[in-house]
Amino acid sequence: MSTVGLFMEEASQMLQKVTDIDTTELTRLLETPPSVAMGDLAFPCFTLAKSWRRAPQQIADELCSRISELPDYAHIRVSAAGAYMNMHWDRTQCSTTLLEQISKEEHYQLQTGKGQRIIIDMSSPNIAKPFGVGHLRSTVIGAALYRIYHAAGYEPVRVNHIGDWGTQFGKQITAHLRWSDPVQMEQNPIGEALRVYIKFHDEAAEHLELEDEARDWFRKLENGDAQALELWRYFVDVSMASLDRMYERLGVEFDAVLGESFYNDKMPAVVDRLRELNLLEESDGALVVRLDEQDMPPCLIIKSDGTTIYPTRDLATAIYRKEVMEGDRLVYVVGGEQTLHFRQVFAVLRKMGFDWAEDCIHVPFGLMKVNGKKMSTRKGKVVFLEEVLDEAVQQAARIIEEKNPDLPNKEEVARQVGVGAIIFNDLKNNRQNEIDFSLEEAVSFEGETGPYVQYAYARIQSILRRAAQNAPTPELTADAVTDPSLDQVDSEAVVEEPSGWTDSAWELLCHLASYDSELERAVRLHEPSIMARYALQTARLFNQFYSHNRILDGSPAWREQRLELSRRTGEYLARLMELLGMKAPQQM
């Protein structure tokens, strides 16, 4: 249980003694005040107005009176504020416990999933296509979930399910043989492959025979035709070289790269089993599994031309991941437009008698659009991720050159900041929301951005270096990253309070204490944005703490306390950035 959870538990036990309401219900009713100065928790007294037959304001006063007579809760100060009873924990007494807890490994390395293996299907781009920003979502969301699951004690396995099979290869081969320029294929194979693929779809709109030619080439490929296989292997090889370069830039790795073609020899067993179970039915020359009882359209297994299709391969893939890779859970980080497809596949697995189909989870995400329009490779509407990363790194370099031209290793810092900005720009959004991609917004270093989080970490490292040199805390200056939270007027001045625990210091400490509960929530909801938003809040709270407290040249009585809080905050920011797939520059 998190430290904040312990506060909730203690508060509900205390209130139960004076209200006789069940502790579970009390925990549900407790609220967090809008300002830490108002209290750590609040109890709304409206719920007692009917049974106590008094106004909520009177009930709040009565509760405060009753609690003051409970000696076991003397460390909790209560006060009435209108219809609410606010609770303040004794900061001096509780701070030691909080600091000890956030330093324990079990606070940030959970055991929720101990002994369970999760197979994560992530990234999964198509061969012979450029890596566009549309591929970014599955890649960075999947990579972040891998790290989040690992931090929760699971044994995650990253699988890149490369799209290296299917009818599109018949189209690619047809386009290549008709229109490819040999010189361009030598110099820029992926760019040329994209050009002729787009041309195929433009031409096929008027020349329908091209579709028949493409289907024929895919049949040849499935039947082992030598020329088709040679061209297919060529496209796979040049594509993987291009993809590997992009994954290296993003800092993404895989435990297995298994294309759809890997499952070709495993599909016949799936089809045979479906026949044995009398699940296959003919429909317009194709073979399907009907799912009428689940209000879904039939799941297509074999097309009318005898070739396989996505569901066939995904059934074979799931069985392999369960039986050979020994996955306890199978997670598919795939766009929300494939929701029906996965519902069908999981339903067919259940009809085949596989109870573990209940442990197959589709983790959908919203589309990434450009100027409000869906991207399409076949129409040439693609924003290349490599160009976006290049621009982000150049933007970071320009800002560094303007603000801190003497920064050591500034080229590497620019890479870390630029790539981190693109990754964070995606992960800060709820994964199911659509994103209208804007290069200007993605590479912006102001507001709720990755560079804002990185700068807070770099600021802490500067403080720690000065502490080692016994130097004073640097004054606030105009920074490369704008912090809107510091523009707000706050009544807390930069002075020493008797306890040393100013509101900003206490709020930051309590926030760090909630890390484990936020991590558990991110795991439960398969939602990296929870940790991204938590990182933003950590950076914001530290910057407020920094602006309101002299850390190194304040009172010696509280210097070590505030220095320790800064150190721990830096550790948590570094941990958060690692979860999200970002680097943590020591200087910016």
Side-chain angles (χ1 to χ4, degrees):
M1 179 181 292
S2 70
T3 306
V4 172
L6 288 174
F7 279 1
M8 298 280 282
E9 183 179 46
E10 188 172 30
S12 61
Q13 290 173 351
M14 178 181 71
L15 284 165
Q16 197 276 331
K17 295 181 183 299
V18 295
T19 64
D20 292 329
I21 300 177
D22 179 77
T23 55
T24 302
E25 177 64 11
L26 286 167
T27 300
R28 187 187 68 81
L29 291 170
L30 288 171
E31 299 179 8
T32 302
S35 166
V36 70
M38 297 174 65
D40 300 306
L41 288 174
F43 177 71
C45 299
F46 308 101
T47 188
L48 292 172
K50 185 176 180 180
S51 58
W52 284 30
R53 299 190 179 189
R54 270 181 273 172
Q57 295 89 337
Q58 293 176 312
I59 294 172
D61 290 331
E62 176 67 19
L63 289 177
C64 289
S65 177
R66 293 187 183 188
I67 289 172
S68 66
E69 298 175 0
L70 300 177
D72 292 342
Y73 299 99
H75 60 288
I76 304 176
R77 178 171 58 86
V78 294
S79 60
Y84 287 84
M85 186 194 74
N86 293 332
M87 290 161 272
H88 310 249
W89 268 255
D90 184 285
R91 296 177 181 182
T92 302
Q93 184 173 336
C94 296
S95 59
T96 302
T97 302
L98 293 183
L99 284 169
E100 287 178 354
Q101 180 146 340
I102 64 174
S103 67
K104 293 179 180 177
E105 183 179 357
E106 56 264 32
H107 187 66
Y108 51 82
Q109 183 62 56
L110 310 180
Q111 297 301 315
T112 308
K114 186 175 183 180
Q116 297 184 58
R117 173 177 284 196
I118 295 183
I119 311 297
I120 309 171
D121 183 314
M122 53 177 280
S123 193
S124 308
N126 289 327
I127 291 299
K129 307 294 187 297
F131 203 115
V133 294
H135 298 114
L136 181 68
R137 302 221 70 194
S138 177
T139 305
V140 299
I141 291 173
L145 285 176
Y146 167 83
R147 301 182 190 97
I148 288 169
Y149 293 149
H150 189 271
Y154 290 92
E155 180 191 352
V157 179
R158 298 160 292 191
V159 179
N160 196 355
H161 189 68
I162 298 291
D164 67 350
W165 207 252
T167 307
Q168 74 267 25
F169 282 95
K171 298 176 181 180
Q172 192 72 61
I173 291 171
T174 300
H176 171 73
L177 293 175
R178 281 176 171 266
W179 303 301
S180 281
D181 182 318
V183 176
Q184 289 300 315
M185 284 301 296
E186 178 69 26
Q187 296 177 352
N188 182 18
I190 300 302
E192 182 65 1
L194 174 63
R195 183 186 72 80
V196 299
Y197 188 73
I198 295 170
K199 184 176 178 63
F200 174 91
H201 288 92
D202 290 341
E203 295 287 333
E206 297 183 6
H207 302 282
L208 301 181
E209 66 274 11
L210 285 173
E211 295 285 356
D212 293 331
E213 185 178 339
R215 281 190 286 270
D216 186 53
W217 271 112
F218 181 56
R219 273 195 299 271
K220 289 180 180 180
L221 183 60
E222 288 216 308
N223 292 330
D225 178 82
Q227 184 183 9
L229 283 172
E230 181 181 3
L231 288 171
W232 172 76
R233 291 192 186 100
Y234 168 76
F235 284 122
V236 169
D237 289 344
V238 297
S239 297
M240 290 309 303
S242 175
L243 289 172
D244 288 343
R245 185 175 68 253
M246 292 307 303
Y247 290 133
E248 183 178 3
R249 292 193 70 177
L250 291 171
V252 173
E253 298 178 348
F254 299 94
D255 301 299
V257 179
L258 301 175
E260 292 182 48
S261 62
F262 176 80
Y263 302 96
N264 284 346
D265 62 351
K266 300 165 182 61
M267 287 187 286
V270 173
V271 177
D272 290 344
R273 177 158 183 157
L274 289 170
R275 281 200 178 98
E276 292 170 4
L277 294 170
N278 295 317
L279 292 174
L280 284 181
E281 294 185 26
E282 187 174 339
S283 175
D284 297 327
L287 295 178
V288 303
V289 175
R290 294 201 175 276
L291 300 170
D292 300 346
E293 72 282 3
Q294 299 191 45
D295 295 323
M296 283 188 280
C299 183
L300 181 59
I301 302 298
I302 301 292
K303 293 192 290 186
S304 58
D305 63 3
T307 57
T308 58
I309 195 168
Y310 291 115
T312 326
R313 291 189 282 278
D314 278 345
L315 289 168
T317 301
I319 294 169
Y320 180 85
R321 290 174 180 172
K322 178 64 180 180
E323 297 182 349
V324 179
M325 300 183 75
E326 299 180 327
D328 296 299
R329 291 188 186 182
L330 309 184
V331 170
Y332 297 81
V333 184
V334 182
E337 67 274 13
Q338 295 296 319
T339 296
L340 175 60
H341 165 76
F342 283 107
R343 285 182 61 213
Q344 290 178 310
V345 169
F346 300 161
V348 173
L349 287 171
R350 286 192 292 271
K351 294 189 79 164
M352 294 174 74
F354 295 122
D355 294 338
W356 48 263
E358 301 301 327
D359 295 317
C360 294
I361 304 166
H362 176 211
V363 177
F365 53 84
L367 283 173
M368 181 176 283
K369 297 181 178 181
V370 176
N371 298 323
K373 296 180 180 180
K374 181 179 178 181
M375 285 175 281
S376 172
T377 303
R378 67 182 60 184
K379 295 180 180 178
K381 296 179 179 179
V382 181
V383 177
F384 298 147
L385 180 60
E386 188 162 24
E387 295 177 0
V388 171
L389 293 177
D390 288 344
E391 176 59 31
V393 171
Q394 291 167 13
Q395 172 76 342
R398 286 192 293 270
I399 292 177
I400 290 171
E401 194 62 40
E402 177 186 349
K403 300 292 184 179
N404 194 2
D406 298 325
L407 177 69
N409 201 22
K410 56 187 177 184
E411 293 82 7
E412 177 60 24
V413 173
R415 282 192 291 270
Q416 293 177 353
V417 173
V419 174
I422 298 302
I423 293 173
F424 193 86
N425 183 67
D426 190 304
L427 294 180
K428 73 178 181 182
N429 298 285
N430 183 295
R431 60 174 167 78
Q432 298 200 57
N433 291 346
E434 286 190 352
I435 295 178
D436 193 1
F437 182 81
S438 162
L439 179 60
E440 182 180 356
E441 179 182 342
V443 301
S444 172
F445 291 179
E446 298 185 352
E448 296 184 332
T449 66
Y452 174 70
V453 175
Q454 289 172 314
Y455 192 80
Y457 174 79
R459 170 176 274 169
I460 292 171
Q461 302 317 301
S462 173
I463 291 171
L464 297 179
R465 286 192 296 272
R466 287 173 176 270
Q469 301 165 1
N470 290 317
T473 307
E475 294 292 335
L476 273 176
T477 58
D479 298 315
V481 182
T482 299
D483 183 357
S485 69
L486 299 184
D487 295 333
Q488 301 170 3
V489 177
D490 196 303
S491 60
E492 184 182 85
V494 185
V495 295
E496 302 297 329
E497 291 186 352
S499 68
W501 282 102
T502 58
D503 286 346
S504 57
W506 179 251
E507 188 173 8
L508 175 59
L509 178 58
C510 289
H511 173 75
L512 296 180
S514 69
Y515 175 91
D516 54 351
S517 61
E518 291 300 286
L519 180 58
E520 287 174 349
R521 192 161 68 94
V523 171
R524 184 174 70 256
L525 299 177
H526 312 285
E527 185 55 81
S529 69
I530 290 173
M531 302 315 292
R533 307 305 300 188
Y534 183 87
L536 280 171
Q537 181 72 344
T538 303
R540 184 186 72 81
L541 290 176
F542 176 78
N543 286 336
Q544 288 189 341
F545 161 71
Y546 174 83
S547 70
H548 297 142
N549 300 269
R550 302 304 300 180
I551 297 174
L552 299 181
D553 54 353
S555 166
W558 307 117
R559 182 180 187 275
E560 288 306 314
Q561 176 202 76
R562 293 174 180 174
L563 189 59
E564 176 67 7
L565 182 57
S566 301
R567 182 181 297 109
R568 294 301 179 190
T569 304
E571 291 173 357
Y572 275 83
L573 282 173
R575 192 169 292 116
L576 286 160
M577 284 186 279
E578 182 181 3
L579 286 180
L580 299 172
M582 300 165 59
K583 300 296 184 182
Q586 296 288 315
Q587 298 182 66
M588 283 177 66

